[in-house]
Amino acid sequence: MLNKLAASELVLNDDGSVYHLNLLPEDIAEKIILVGDPDRVPKVSQYFDKVEVKKNKREFYTHTGTLRGERITVMSTGIGTENIDIVMNELDALVNIDLKNKEFKTEHSSLQLFRMGTCGSVNPDVQVDNMLVTQNVVGLDGLMHFYQDYEFENDFSKNFLEKFPYAKIKPMLYFADWSEELGELYKDAKYHGNTATFPGFYAPQGRQLRLKALDDQFLETLNDLGVTNFEMETSAIYALSKLLGHKAITVNNVIANRRRGEFSADHHASEKNLINWVLERIIK
Ligand code: R1P
Ligand code: URA
């Protein structure tokens, strides 16, 4: 039948749940908090009124319950945009594909996705232990070049593409922006900025232990192009949300200021602050 997905394409577990996330459609809420670290999931759900669903597989841990009477999910994505590719496609399948018949639903459902993460700043004036909301994102991880029909352009992307000096990695770049209506919730964040998402923590973010990174001036160049901070997931969350018709926003706690060589003096306290800050705003 037309639109019926083969077993190899939409892979399901024995109980009918999606393959990697190990979830059934009834296991998730419309509002979903995405965190990188699996240990952050119970740190978030401890504030729920009650937790009804606890499931996990690999690095994907999910808790769903209610907060102030509203249904909410928190899920870990693990690190990196390759994991986000899995998370976004399987979350979308849970709401927009009839898993039993393996057919696309005719009515579209839109999720609200809130990434709650950590990041490093490349702007020396962006201080550690503060909330930074991503308005624009540049992905240097290449993911969206594997998808047809993804196009995005705005002033940030045009300026960045024009001036980005590293010819070898330029073909991998792609761009996206936040869902502005969700940004309203975070209007009192200390920083609203432009995030770069990288496919690695060391050389891709200009860190040099025993290996040399692309360029000693990498961080300064990014800052000159308008980048405030970086991390490893937001480009894929924003771009795939646009393509799949979901709403997404990222708030990261700045735990490292790379230009000043500073790291949060108490990143556990900083994480707790981030969790409370986000929960207060996304569920009134
Ligand atoms: C790297 O240490 C990890 O921390 C950041 C990066 O994006 C990457 O996932 O985010 P999380 O704290 O959400 O994992
Ligand atoms: N997460 C990152 O990816 N980089 C940092 O420097 C801090 C958190």
Side-chain angles (χ1 to χ4, degrees), residues 36-257:
D37 182 357
D39 286 348
R40 202 173 297 147
V41 170
K43 291 180 190 166
V44 173
S45 70
Q46 68 175 322
Y47 295 104
F48 292 1
D49 314 326
K50 60 175 184 229
V51 179
E52 296 149 9
V53 178
K54 279 190 184 182
K55 290 193 176 177
N56 68 283
K57 190 173 173 186
R58 297 178 185 246
E59 55 268 68
F60 308 111
Y61 281 71
T62 302
H63 289 182
T64 294
T66 52
L67 177 60
R68 296 187 265 283
E70 193 179 325
R71 200 147 189 267
I72 185 153
T73 292
V74 56
M75 171 187 294
S76 59
T77 64
I79 290 180
T81 53
E82 65 277 42
N83 277 4
I84 298 299
D85 183 57
I86 288 170
V87 168
M88 292 297 299
N89 277 287
E90 293 191 8
L91 281 179
D92 182 71
L94 286 171
V95 293
N96 286 315
I97 299 179
D98 175 343
L99 299 184
K100 288 200 179 74
N101 296 317
K102 297 204 169 186
E103 285 170 9
F104 303 133
K105 291 184 181 170
T106 46
E107 263 188 42
H108 179 263
S109 295
S110 181
L111 297 166
Q112 292 185 26
L113 304 169
F114 299 86
R115 168 162 153 77
M116 179 200 271
T118 59
C119 70
S121 68
V122 287
N123 180 329
D125 299 328
V126 169
Q127 294 156 0
V128 295
D129 299 328
N130 286 292
M131 309 309 157
L132 193 158
V133 176
T134 302
Q135 283 188 355
N136 295 294
V137 66
V138 52
L140 290 97
D141 54 287
L143 177 72
M144 294 311 290
H145 293 284
F146 290 89
Y147 286 91
Q148 264 185 39
D149 301 329
Y150 183 69
E151 278 173 30
F152 182 89
E153 193 182 81
N154 67 6
D155 289 346
F156 172 71
S157 71
K158 274 194 269 186
N159 177 57
F160 199 96
L161 275 176
E162 211 174 281
K163 301 193 179 139
F164 190 69
Y166 307 107
K168 267 201 292 195
I169 49 179
K170 195 166 178 166
M172 301 192 306
L173 304 188
Y174 66 92
F175 299 85
D177 68 358
W178 63 348
S179 298
E180 202 172 343
E181 60 272 47
L182 299 185
E184 272 296 295
L185 300 173
Y186 293 155
K187 50 182 185 292
D188 59 339
K190 172 121 178 182
Y191 303 113
H192 290 81
N194 303 319
T195 297
T197 296
F198 287 104
F201 187 77
Y202 289 95
Q205 297 186 16
R207 286 189 172 88
Q208 317 199 59
L209 301 185
R210 293 207 311 121
L211 298 176
K212 286 298 224 189
L214 180 68
D215 179 359
D216 286 341
Q217 295 304 304
F218 195 47
L219 300 183
E220 288 80 353
T221 304
L222 288 173
N223 188 201
D224 292 345
L225 291 174
V227 170
T228 41
N229 68 311
F230 44 60
E231 41 85 286
M232 299 174 65
E233 290 83 19
T234 296
S235 56
I237 295 174
Y238 278 17
L240 285 170
S241 291
K242 290 206 179 290
L243 215 46
L244 290 164
H246 303 295
K247 294 189 170 58
I249 190 153
T250 289
V251 56
N252 282 311
N253 197 348
V254 182
I255 54 166
N257 183 315

